[in-house]
Amino acid sequence: MIKQAIIPLAGQGTRLLPLTSIFPKELLPINGKPGLEYILDECIKSGIKEVILIISNKKPFIKKYFNNDNFFKKIIKKKPNDKRIKYEYKKIKKYKKIIKFVYQNSPKGTGDAVLKCQKLIKSKYFLMLLADDLIVKNNCSLSMIKIHNKYNSSVIASTKVKKENVSRWGIFDLKKINRRNFLVNDVIEKPSIKSAPSNYAVIGRYILPKKIFKILKKQKPGRNNEIHITDAIRTLIHKKNKFLGHIFSGKYLDCGTMKGYIDSSLKIAKL
Ligand code: G1P
């Protein structure tokens, strides 16, 4: 059973500068709610009981956001009839109950972030969510957990993207097995348009096996001198581990670029 999720949050958010020069991108509001809360809600609704947030000591606001009890208590004392504040504080306390923090103080890539969680992961498989990628209207993590339970394999979320944009994502080489799921033959991190094996992109939901830690420990830095989770997944695939791609049915909002972030707020507001 998948009960633990990890969320890497130690990146610098350079694609969203200047918004992220002081403020962590994951707390930027999307239609009045921090992006990270959408991700936590998705975890809770998919049955996750523990969420490990991988943070950096250069981004203190994330930890503070979930540990600002004195502030809330004082305000609630002053405004005892304000139901909205009480509701918001209760929600934050609910998140706090399931959150653990680990640190990745230098941004060496998603693979390095995952490795920081090694000691905390208990079961054979765990879920990873990238906070840039919001998927709304349908719980992608829940669908993926169901697929994992059925096929007992690793699962990665995917959607079709425009050919001219493939260099923004990890891209799958795949063999279709049904309308929504495919077998992954290979995956390439941000390929050129010419070398992309398809236009099915990796989107930030992964069910990964615990044995990926062993691979990550030996993983050499790849693109931009970072340790990429995609490269470790690739090694596992080459070693004949089964990875399924899941073409999710929810709506994908890419909040990791300035244009995507602005569009996301507008799109969510219209839902
Ligand atoms: C990361 C992954 C990439 C994936 C993308 C999804 O890239 O490395 O494979 O397609 O997330 O959003 P990043 O957004 O960190 O550049």
Side-chain angles (χ1 to χ4, degrees), residues 99-114:
I99 289 175
K100 272 193 181 153
F101 294 97
V102 299
Y103 283 89
Q104 182 199 25
N105 291 330
S106 50
K108 287 193 228 146
T110 317
D112 178 65
V114 173

Side-chain angles (χ1 to χ4, degrees), residues 239-250:
K239 287 183 187 245
K240 306 271 179 262
N241 290 275
K242 188 170 165 187
F243 274 77
L244 292 176
H246 172 61
I247 305 165
F248 55 85
S249 60

Side-chain angles (χ1 to χ4, degrees), residues 85-100:
I85 299 177
K86 275 188 185 159
Y87 170 80
E88 291 296 334
Y89 180 44
K90 210 171 147 191
K91 204 169 63 170
I92 287 174
K93 280 199 293 189
K94 181 183 80 181
Y95 296 138
K96 191 181 163 178
K97 265 194 188 155
I98 60 161
I99 289 175
K100 272 193 181 153

Side-chain angles (χ1 to χ4, degrees), residues 15 25 110 130 132-133 166 168-171 187-190 201-206 226 228-230 252 254 256:
R15 287 185 298 228
K25 66 174 171 183
T110 317
L130 302 184
D132 278 357
D133 291 341
V166 284
R168 155 80 183 90
W169 289 281
I171 297 292
V187 59
I188 318 236
E189 184 63 16
K190 305 195 170 79
V202 171
I203 304 302
R205 303 288 182 277
Y206 307 71
E226 288 182 8
H228 292 284
I229 196 66
T230 314
Y252 169 49
D254 174 14

